[in-house]
Amino acid sequence: MSAQILDGKATAAAIKSDLTVRVAALKEKGVTPGLGTVLVGDDPASQKYVAGKHRDCAQVGIASIQRELPATATQEEIEAVVRELNEDPSCTGYIVQLPLPRGIDENRVLELMDPAKDADGLHPTNLGRLVLNEPAPLPCTPNGVISLLRAHGVEIKGAEVVVVGRGVTIGRTMPLLLTRRSENATVTQCHTGTRDLSAHLRNADIIVAAAGVPHLIKPEDVKPGAAVLDVGVSRNAEGKILGDVHPDVAEVAAWISPNPGGVGPMTRAQLLVNVVEAAERAAAAL
Ligand SMILES: Nc1nc2c(c(=O)[nH]1)N[C@@H](CN(C=O)c1ccc(C(=O)N[C@@H](CCC(=O)O)C(=O)O)cc1)CN2
């Protein structure tokens, strides 16, 4: 058996095609959505992700606002850019690309953002709204995982889902999205303190692997017929991506997301969804 592909590139392309129509409608009403990005330092992966976000913006007609600071930027300098984007009327929503350089208090930067312009759904107010089941921009990677499963008809309702990892961009919020009534999954969150990871994995209908440990998930850990989403990104000496999922898992799973080409493009597409939804709210208030 070889798993079917959860094709993030194709699914993201379909989402972007829908957004192109919505952006055109907004422009007719005199509203041009604008995505801002704050990139600090010269991490090649972060540079690539931010460049991808602006390429996507160009494709759907969203304006791009790019702010770049050197790796030596101080907390105050970064916060000044955040304040500037909070005030900039051309910026509908923005993100601060994570991680920030060592020594910078990431939480303080995120808390300074205007929650109404938080395109990542990572501001404490928006995370609180998510917990309270109130409308909020949803964190992009977890929302991308759910869209990818839905687009391929993978049953989430009632599924036993194991999320591996507890980082802020996915692990922390993935269970919150999966346990909403609209998804109704049962979730087990595993992390470095989990005693017997394999035992949990073998019971899972869906595995979301976001540990950042190359090839952590082995074929013998996976229940035949499971859906496996590879979100982890490590790189070898040549810069090639190594996911959290061993390639041989494809022989056991029914569904697998490639990496690259799976959850990454979905993360970017969901970011644009958050920006367009914020612009639609603004247009409705005109
Ligand atoms: N502010 C944020 N920072 C980070 C987030 C986030 O959601 N918000 N998530 C990750 C990185 N990330 C988004 O910024 C991201 C990761 C991967 C991709 C992507 O398109 N990947 C491509 C491969 C690109 C490559 O070759 O390296 C793919 O999977 O096909 C986009 C965005 C951490 N930071």
Side-chain angles (χ1 to χ4, degrees):
M1 170 167 132
S2 196
Q4 294 188 67
I5 296 297
L6 294 164
D7 187 342
K9 265 193 191 165
T11 310
I15 292 171
K16 285 190 282 183
S17 149
D18 169 60
L19 291 176
T20 306
V21 178
R22 287 162 67 181
V23 169
L26 280 164
K27 285 182 175 172
E28 273 180 24
K29 290 183 191 155
V31 176
T32 300
L35 171 69
T37 58
V38 181
L39 175 61
V40 186
D42 43 23
D43 173 61
S46 292
Q47 287 173 333
K48 204 170 196 177
Y49 301 149
V50 168
K53 291 172 185 185
H54 290 292
R55 241 190 349 265
D56 290 341
C57 282
Q59 273 177 20
V60 306
I62 294 176
S64 275
I65 303 146
Q66 301 193 46
R67 297 287 178 265
E68 291 183 13
L69 291 105
T72 52
T74 62
Q75 183 86 30
E76 290 67 31
E77 286 167 335
I78 299 169
E79 290 182 6
V81 172
V82 167
R83 284 199 186 85
E84 183 230 315
L85 291 176
N86 282 346
E87 298 304 320
D88 181 349
S90 72
C91 174
T92 315
Y94 68 98
I95 61 110
V96 176
Q97 188 63 33
L98 302 176
L100 289 170
R102 215 174 300 154
I104 300 296
D105 184 340
E106 237 167 54
N107 287 350
R108 233 177 79 188
V109 173
L110 292 177
E111 282 176 32
L112 199 62
M113 294 173 75
D114 176 352
K117 289 193 173 190
D118 167 26
D120 255 339
L122 295 179
H123 187 282
T125 296
N126 290 323
L127 291 174
R129 286 179 178 145
L130 176 59
V131 171
L132 295 172
N133 255 326
E134 290 172 2
L138 297 175
C140 302
T141 307
N143 203 20
V145 164
I146 286 173
S147 299
L148 193 55
L149 289 167
R150 280 200 194 129
H152 291 81
V154 177
E155 179 85 328
I156 302 175
K157 186 167 168 252
E160 294 285 340
V161 184
V162 169
V163 176
V164 189
R166 54 180 158 188
V168 67
T169 52
I170 170 148
R172 281 266 175 252
T173 49
M174 189 78 245
L176 288 173
L177 269 70
L178 284 164
T179 51
R180 293 174 302 180
R181 285 189 190 279
S182 50
E183 272 64 41
N184 259 339
T186 299
V187 183
T188 303
Q189 182 152 42
C190 296
H191 44 73
T192 48
T194 300
R195 268 205 294 262
D196 189 349
L197 176 62
S198 295
H200 291 291
L201 292 171
R202 282 196 300 270
N203 190 42
D205 302 308
I206 299 174
I207 296 172
V208 182
V213 178
H215 298 176
L216 175 69
I217 314 296
K218 309 261 188 299
E220 58 272 25
D221 297 326
V222 175
K223 181 161 86 176
V228 182
L229 291 107
D230 190 356
V231 190
V233 177
S234 309
R235 291 183 194 261
N236 67 11
E238 289 78 48
K240 182 177 176 291
I241 290 180
L242 297 177
D244 281 5
V245 178
H246 192 285
D248 290 350
V249 167
E251 300 308 315
V252 182
W255 294 96
I256 197 159
S257 72
N259 190 358
V263 176
M266 293 300 294
T267 296
R268 290 180 1 224
Q270 294 302 153
L271 173 66
L272 301 190
V273 169
N274 284 345
V275 174
V276 171
E277 285 180 353
E280 286 171 344
R281 277 193 297 276
L286 283 179

